[in-house]
Amino acid sequence: MSATGAETQVATTTKKVKKMKPARKQVKPGEVEKKEAPQTGKEYNIWYNKWAGGDREDSYSNKTKSQTRCNIKRDAGLTRANMSGNKYCCLFFARGCCPYGWECEYLHMLPDASTALPDTSKDCFARDKFADYRDDMGGVGSFQRQNRTLYIGRIKETGTGAETEEVVRRHFKEWGEIEHSNTVRVLQYRSVAFVTYKSELNAQFAKEAMACQSLDNDEILNVRWATEDPNPTSKVAEKRRLEEMGREAIQAKMDPRIVDAVRAMRALEEGVEVDEEMHEDGRDSKRPRLLEDAQDSPEEALEPSPPPPQEQPQPNSGILSADALEGLKYFAEIRKKNGLGSAAPPPKTVAAPPPPQGLGLGDYASDEE
């Protein structure tokens, strides 16, 4: 009985491990009808993907609803990119119109936020980013700013703001994890919503997946990048988040032995000792420890030491200052130690000449007279 129970337990554990299936071919070749935009100008602007010049038409009438839509649960799977190591996603898979399926050279799955892309100047679809955003906040985006928030326009509101927020959340959470409850904001009576993802890669995928799609009321969404939030609190939180991400990235790249060596050097400079302890993973960690004098009595170590007594300056009663006298005494002691104290002869006194007698007129005139 025990053997059979063990066999059934092994069978249940193997069933839990679910292998990914090959990616599904979303459409057949030539099934999607490609419609070209009507020519409304003389020059075609490849940056804005529309004709430049001519008459300006209604932006809503120029938008046509997408013929396909991606379904992650049904379409995601293994492709050749899983074997070749390519980390970029398929743009046509995000739009729901990739005819290659498992034969595609790009990933047919959501981007992994924990996996860093080989080139930060490209988005998750391997498209080059630009130095600045377009005027209409469309396109690939900018590499100078990490944008995780999407602007969703042309929403048909049929209920209250909370109901519209729930509809937006239900459709956009399919493309990645939304940061928290307050990151889906709906501007009621303005048909606008903002969605913030935890990862910029998921925001890039969602922007392409929901472009020209509809929610529940057969509208045609206008999905673009959101501008920077002018709220000072949001700016401080975003700056703190980027600093924390940078700190974690640096710590992940650094060798723990180098960190321990730097800590030991700082401990030597500050005059503390280092205790070595073992972590659970078997790695040595060094913790700074105070010197033995301070460890004997921690209460005394915390108390501030009294300042040294200051010497009172002695009043100067002579010509020389006190410092000059101390210096002379110091040099005199050195001379005594070297045996030079008696070598110096005493100063000789020179007798003064006798005063002249008489008038001394001969000296005044000449030597002879």
Side-chain angles (χ1 to χ4, degrees):
M1 295 294 293
S2 61
T4 359
E7 289 177 0
T8 54
Q9 186 176 2
V10 170
T12 53
T13 52
T14 52
K15 288 181 180 179
K16 290 181 180 179
V17 180
K18 186 178 180 180
K19 294 183 179 179
M20 291 190 64
K21 60 182 179 180
R24 169 181 170 271
K25 294 183 178 181
Q26 295 172 312
V27 295
K28 296 179 181 180
E31 183 178 355
V32 179
E33 183 182 358
K34 186 177 181 181
K35 296 181 180 180
E36 296 184 358
Q39 183 174 353
T40 57
K42 297 181 179 180
E43 297 178 356
Y44 189 79
N45 193 329
I46 61 174
W47 173 252
Y48 290 96
N49 196 23
K50 63 181 181 180
W51 290 95
D55 297 333
R56 294 186 59 185
E57 298 181 1
D58 186 13
S59 59
Y60 188 85
S61 61
N62 286 335
K63 293 291 183 180
T64 57
K65 186 177 179 180
S66 178
Q67 304 177 37
T68 58
R69 178 167 177 172
C70 178
N71 189 335
I72 292 295
K73 294 183 179 180
R74 182 184 60 184
D75 300 338
L78 297 175
T79 60
R80 292 180 178 177
N82 297 98
M83 303 299 295
S84 62
N86 188 3
K87 297 183 180 180
Y88 294 103
C89 299
C90 178
L91 177 62
F92 298 98
F93 164 74
R95 295 174 178 174
C97 58
C98 182
Y100 297 105
W102 62 272
E103 297 178 348
C104 186
E105 299 293 337
Y106 292 88
L107 295 175
H108 277 209
M109 59 183 64
L110 291 176
D112 189 3
S114 60
T115 304
L117 296 180
D119 191 357
T120 57
S121 64
K122 298 178 181 294
D123 65 349
C124 65
F125 303 108
R127 299 180 299 181
D128 291 327
K129 295 182 180 180
F130 298 92
D132 200 0
Y133 289 95
R134 290 184 356 187
D135 294 339
D136 58 355
M137 297 302 292
V140 181
S142 172
F143 56 79
Q144 295 185 354
R145 174 178 164 227
Q146 190 179 20
N147 199 343
R148 302 176 294 124
T149 305
L150 296 179
Y151 163 90
I152 301 103
R154 300 179 189 151
I155 300 175
K156 286 186 179 180
E157 301 182 40
T158 56
T160 61
E163 294 176 357
T164 307
E165 179 181 338
E166 182 61 31
V167 172
V168 174
R169 183 185 300 276
R170 174 162 46 85
H171 282 269
F172 278 84
K173 70 179 182 181
E174 182 182 358
W175 317 113
E177 186 177 1
I178 298 176
E179 191 169 19
H180 51 80
S181 58
N182 296 329
T183 53
V184 177
R185 294 175 296 166
V186 176
L187 303 182
Q188 198 173 5
Y189 308 118
R190 296 183 61 181
S191 303
V192 172
F194 295 92
V195 179
T196 302
Y197 288 90
K198 279 193 172 181
S199 173
E200 184 186 14
L201 302 179
N202 296 112
Q204 295 169 358
F205 194 96
K207 180 180 177 298
E208 295 296 335
M210 294 300 294
C212 298
Q213 300 290 344
S214 61
L215 299 180
D216 291 347
N217 301 309
D218 200 24
E219 67 268 48
I220 301 177
L221 297 180
N222 178 22
V223 184
R224 302 188 181 277
W225 293 111
T227 56
E228 189 175 1
D229 193 349
N231 189 359
T233 307
S234 302
K235 291 184 178 181
V236 172
E238 181 68 14
K239 182 179 179 181
R240 189 182 302 111
R241 188 188 67 86
L242 294 176
E243 291 177 353
E244 186 66 24
M245 288 180 57
R247 189 181 302 108
E248 292 177 358
I250 292 174
Q251 290 178 356
K253 295 292 183 181
M254 290 183 64
D255 191 351
R257 295 175 296 178
I258 298 177
V259 177
D260 294 339
V262 172
R263 289 178 180 173
M265 291 177 61
R266 290 181 179 177
L268 291 175
E269 293 176 355
E270 296 174 0
V272 296
E273 296 181 0
V274 178
D275 288 342
E276 294 186 1
E277 295 179 355
M278 295 294 293
H279 276 292
E280 295 179 358
D281 55 355
R283 182 172 57 86
D284 294 339
S285 67
K286 298 186 178 182
R287 178 175 57 86
R289 178 173 60 87
L290 297 178
L291 295 175
E292 296 179 357
D293 298 338
Q295 284 184 349
D296 294 339
S297 56
E299 296 180 357
E300 296 179 0
L302 296 177
E303 295 179 357
S305 58
Q310 298 181 358
E311 298 180 356
Q312 298 292 337
Q314 299 179 357
N316 185 15
S317 59
I319 299 176
L320 300 177
S321 62
D323 296 337
L325 293 174
E326 290 294 333
L328 292 175
K329 291 179 181 180
Y330 175 71
F331 285 110
E333 291 179 359
I334 293 178
R335 291 175 65 87
K336 287 181 181 179
K337 289 180 181 180
N338 296 336
L340 301 176
S342 58
K348 297 181 179 180
T349 57
V350 181
Q357 297 179 1
L359 295 175
L361 296 175
D363 296 336
Y364 179 76
S366 62
D367 292 339
E368 296 178 358
E369 297 181 359

